Amino acid sequence: MYWSSWSDFRAMGGHAFFVWMSYGALLLAVVVEMLLLRARRKRALAAIEEERDLETEN
Amino acid sequence: MNSVPQAPGSFSGGFAWAMARDLRLAWRHPDEAVLTVAFFVLVASLFPLGIGAEPQLLQRIGPGVIWVGALLAAFLALPGLFAADYADGSLEQMTLSPHPALGWAGGKIAAHWIVSGLPLTLLSPLIGLQYGLTPDTLLVQALSLAIGTPVLSLLGGACAALALGARGGGMLLALLALPLFVPVLIFGAGAAEAQATGLSPAPHLSLLAAALIAALVGLPWAVGAAVRIAVD
Amino acid sequence: MNSVPQAPGSFSGGFAWAMARDLRLAWRHPDEAVLTVAFFVLVASLFPLGIGAEPQLLQRIGPGVIWVGALLAAFLALPGLFAADYADGSLEQMTLSPHPALGWAGGKIAAHWIVSGLPLTLLSPLIGLQYGLTPDTLLVQALSLAIGTPVLSLLGGACAALALGARGGGMLLALLALPLFVPVLIFGAGAAEAQATGLSPAPHLSLLAAALIAALVGLPWAVGAAVRIAVD
Amino acid sequence: MNWFYFSSPSTFYGLAGRLAPWCFVSAAVLAAWGLYLGLLVAPTDAQQGEVYRVIFIHVPTAWMSMFLYFIMACYCGLTLVFNTRLSAMMARAIAPTGAMFTFVALWTGSFWGRPTWGTYWVWDARLTSELVLLFLYFGYIALANAFEDPRRGDRAAALLALIGVVNLPIIYFSVQWWNTLHQGSSVNFKGTSMHVTMLTGMLVMSFAAWMYAIGAALVRVRSIILERERRTQWVRELKAA
Amino acid sequence: MTGKHRSGTPDVLQVRDLACRRGPALLFSGLGFEVAGGELLCVRGPNGCGKTTLLRCVTGLTRPDEGTILWHGEPSHVDPERMRAGMAYAGHLPSLKDDLTAEENLEFSLRLRGAATTPGERREALAAVGLDKRRRIPSRRLSAGQRRRIGLARLALDPAELWILDEPLTALDDAGQALFTELLDRHLAAGGLALAATHHRLAPASGVVRELRLA
Amino acid sequence: MTGKHRSGTPDVLQVRDLACRRGPALLFSGLGFEVAGGELLCVRGPNGCGKTTLLRCVTGLTRPDEGTILWHGEPSHVDPERMRAGMAYAGHLPSLKDDLTAEENLEFSLRLRGAATTPGERREALAAVGLDKRRRIPSRRLSAGQRRRIGLARLALDPAELWILDEPLTALDDAGQALFTELLDRHLAAGGLALAATHHRLAPASGVVRELRLA
Ligand code: HEM
Ligand SMILES: Nc1ncnc2c1ncn2[C@@H]1O[C@H](COP(=O)(O)OP(=O)(O)OP(=O)(O)O)[C@@H](O)[C@H]1O
Ligand SMILES: Nc1ncnc2c1ncn2[C@@H]1O[C@H](COP(=O)(O)OP(=O)(O)OP(=O)(O)O)[C@@H](O)[C@H]1O
Ligand SMILES: [Mg+2]
Ligand SMILES: [Mg+2]
């Protein structure tokens, strides 16, 4: 283990802002993409339902 | 087939009809609105490219560039305003409808502004940040766009209607519309610049507001007349 | 009705056909060419208005603004490149002609450049004078436009063909074409700026030339393919 | 394996559904390991100090941005030449993930650039061409969705993607062709000049990114298949089950 | 002008002394006719004789060089909106929005005409022209004839007294032509009037059909 | 498929096992037919049955989901340019430039088709379709039927062996229809072949006329 303390780790040798902004952005991007993926799947499934309802209505 | 004359059309009927229809069309394809904004962002980012990105220089030219970007974006959205309706005969039907031209022409322009001018206004502070403008300036900038872009839509709508069916399409439109846009640009960009240099933006803004009122009163009528000429 | 197979079409046949036809159409309506130039002049004059007219500032931003103006003018002329032929079915007939697509696609783009890019290039020194550029810089500026605008026409032509029949028309085109135009803009404006600051413009110009060669080799083919997809 | 069997959307739908979870699990495991190496074990960099740790996400995302574009372009080529349905759907499924990685590469690059170069952004060749890549992804997505008929969108966007391939060598070699602010490659076929832990951390993170990208693409392609084939019998039966 | 004997009803549309030139040529001059309720006037003549031009003059889209149009006895330029409320024009152009569905197109066209219709009525009208199953797909995907059929549904629901129709049978198959004839028949029987330019023969069961030959 | 007895000449155009779907619907599948020199095949069917789609598949504009087109016995995708040189397509769209005159439009269309014609021939062809006096005004000023007649002149001068025609009689008056029939007659008599989608009845004096009914 390279770090001697938790606060050292967080400070990143004084570059905390830049390092954590980068890692944070990646995390955020991945989370957003996962949410979008879920939403898209839900929409696709709902569209199938809707289609079927339309069909039976006719 | 009642031979009793029908309830004649009304201003509000035509306005609501045109607005509902055009918003429905825009909703069907949100791309158009999204892409207006994308264009605005792109143009605003082209300038640092062509000119170089010194912070002071950027801050200096920021309000001007943002206004030029908004103007070009508003301008690019113009050809679509009447062209499609002209080509497929919808404009003929509008001129033949019992509603007065003032109504549907106004409704079309209002819908156009909601789809093009409004998003630009809402987005301008973000772009302004790129150029390092101060919060006050950003606010004045947004305000000037909020008053100025409807004027652009009205002026542009009138020019688009005049250019309908004329040869040279988009370019003719540019020649007609851009010179009319220039005063709006000057007062609009002037407001934010005044604010940035510590002066009061009020005179510029009130001039813009006056222009808006004049445009609201006169231009929808002109659009109606121009359309009537175009479909002949 | 000779059942002997006909003399097949040729590259040069298609090229000459498209160029003759499009130039004839442009000649019938010189407005289009005149208006491209007018737009260019207008945009280049809008900036001093939006930004203020300090000579030093103007000299500093001159090359960039001129290139941005040329780029926007070239861009505005794009939608017209294929749209009319698409709407009236001429493009269908072209894809069904015995001439290879490379020929007529290239011819159309060449005609388009003659009508839009060439006048801009010839006029740029005049605009440059307004911004107080030196004769050397003016020359380099014109040279960079002469090499760069054909690249814009080729890239833009490919994008215009791809966007045919798509929703979001002009705006989609902006999203596709402008980012591809950016490198051309950077090297083009860079050439004149290097000259203005006493450096050699040669690296920028040779990069532009390389881009032109690459574009000439690959893009007419891409345009043909895109048109074929569009008429399906 | 019979490739034609799996190139039919209905069978691929099932296959993708079975593979995707494993991709995500391995991505998570690899990422945990890579982050452990990168953030906790690896020593500091002599010149840059701790800020160099951005490398563990900057380089993998930058690589992925280019790889994914390349793979997308291959699928696009298949679409244009053989008119296969699945390849177009795969290309569409990859694009958003590619755009995401490109964005993160740009973002981490500029947050790295501020402390090392003193600026978030310069218009040098590497950075500009990477930005163009982002717009190519956006253009691909917008064009593919801009048509009433999805097959039209597939083909038009595929052509755009193929035109854009020229940009990849420009990104990759820009550091050699022009003297840029951005540093040249330190990992290449002739070996590496890096500390072993750093290199391992970077490679492990790259594999994690790979696995994540495959998983995300598979999940997305399943939605696309459902959207496209929602009127077919097999989708109906699937939903009823 | 040829045709059956005129009925006794008063003339709703009167055209007096109309003249129109296009370029060098005088298309027609001194043209006058009347149409009463229950009458169909077919404008006939070879290609390019001015049928379309005549129809557009009557609607008010094109300004004639001379002449007046009287609507219920009053010149149409006095209160153009009154005439427009009572007149439906179907020209060469479809006035359909490709991005809207058949249902939406119908709805917006009718609202523009100031006609109040319910969704049920519109759906019925679309079903009557055979577009029931396709009423929810964007109109751009419809075939040439299906697009024309939306126009038929529109006519069926438009309360206008006067129909002005330019080549109404274009692109319609036999079933479509029969549908149109039936619509026209109902319109005339209910006391409506119609002015049509066509190369086809129109023979509605009821109503008086007259012909106007342009040179 | 109905029609007179097939002639003995070899089939120039052969369509095998063609299938095309549009949206959810399968328009046709397993469709096959042959057309030999001197034959006209009329594609018939109600609105929206897929006539236009079929024609466009044969030209190569639309990519069918399945099937092959053989031109002189060779699949058309092997050497598409060869088939294109021998085929003239007249679709729903006019492919006229509104700003060019009838004469110029005719000239450019024919040059695009690789056909060498003299100004005299072109003028004659325009005169034959009744456009002699109007050959020098911009096409936008022509009436609907006059514009279609430019298309007739184009067909008359195009040396193509195969004509593919979508609704060729639209907007033509009786004289125009007669003109078209005569052209078709000459084409078939000279050994050409034609494929047409139409709701009208086509009856050229010579040639074998067959029908293809789409569901
Ligand atoms: C927005 C700005 C930046 C962008 C768009 C960018 C883009 C890229 C790309 C595309 C690669 C992968 C290409 C390759 O493997 O050669 C890469 C690799 C790399 N970048 Fe950046 N970068 C940026 C900023 C930076 C900064 C500021 C640094 C550090 C000072 C940096 C250091 C590196 C390193 C060390 C590599 C790995 C090279 C190798 O070992 O192969 N980048 N970058
Ligand atoms: N993208 C699409 N989605 C759904 N249906 C479509 C699509 N494109 C075409 N169609 C349908 O395909 C059918 C075939 O159209 P086509 O134009 O070939 O018909 P047609 O036989 O030429 O008819 P017409 O006599 O009216 O010209 C139509 O019913 C149309 O609604
Ligand atoms: N601006 C113009 N200059 C010269 N001639 C013109 C102009 N506009 C129209 N014309 C001519 O006017 C005539 C009338 O055209 P119109 O469209 O009314 O004919 P139409 O009877 O509807 O013919 P069709 O049966 O072909 O539809 C045509 O012969 C046309 O060539
Ligand atoms: Mg007519
Ligand atoms: Mg059809």
Side-chain angles (χ1 to χ4, degrees), chain E residues 52 92 166-167, chain F residues 143-144:
Chain E
T52 299
H92 280 307
D166 203 349
E167 311 264 12
Chain F
S143 80

Side-chain angles (χ1 to χ4, degrees), chain B residues 72-98:
Chain B
L72 290 176
F75 171 71
L76 264 194
L78 281 186
L81 183 48
F82 292 112
D85 284 344
Y86 178 62
D88 69 17
S90 301
L91 269 191
E92 274 177 19
Q93 293 295 340
M94 291 182 212
T95 46
L96 289 181
S97 89

Side-chain angles (χ1 to χ4, degrees), chain A residues 12-28:
Chain A
M12 278 289 157
H15 289 305
F17 175 70
F18 301 104
V19 174
W20 296 125
M21 276 304 269
S22 302
Y23 278 85
L26 176 62
L27 185 71
L28 188 72

Side-chain angles (χ1 to χ4, degrees), chain C residues 190-206:
Chain C
E193 246 159 55
Q195 177 71 33
T197 49
L199 303 171
S200 161
H204 291 98
L205 291 180
S206 44

Side-chain angles (χ1 to χ4, degrees), chain D residues 69-166:
Chain D
Y69 192 92
F70 179 71
I71 294 173
M72 186 178 93
C74 291
Y75 278 120
C76 288
L78 285 179
T79 305
L80 284 182
V81 176
F82 298 112
N83 203 23
T84 42
R85 279 184 295 164
L86 190 61
S87 56
M89 296 188 207
M90 276 309 287
R92 280 184 190 238
I94 291 172
T97 303
M100 187 275 271
F101 277 121
T102 313
F103 172 77
V104 174
L106 284 164
W107 178 275
T108 54
S110 50
F111 272 85
W112 195 358
R114 181 68 226 219
T116 47
W117 304 337
T119 169
Y120 284 104
W121 189 259
V122 287
W123 288 104
D124 89 344
R126 159 72 52 97
L127 275 60
T128 309
S129 51
E130 181 79 1
L131 186 66
V132 169
L133 182 69
L134 182 67
F135 278 106
L136 281 172
Y137 276 120
F138 285 165
Y140 176 88
I141 296 170
L143 189 61
N145 291 316
F147 293 90
E148 202 56 62
D149 178 5
R151 305 285 297 145
R152 267 283 299 278
D154 285 346
R155 295 167 61 75
L159 193 57
L160 176 72
L162 287 181
I163 296 174
V165 168
V166 199

Side-chain angles (χ1 to χ4, degrees), chain E residues 22-23 27 47-53 199, chain F residues 134 141 143-146:
Chain E
R22 277 273 171 257
L27 287 181
N47 288 141
C49 66
K51 300 182 293 298
T52 299
T53 313
H199 301 298
Chain F
R134 298 189 183 272
R141 301 198 193 156
S143 80
Q146 287 165 340

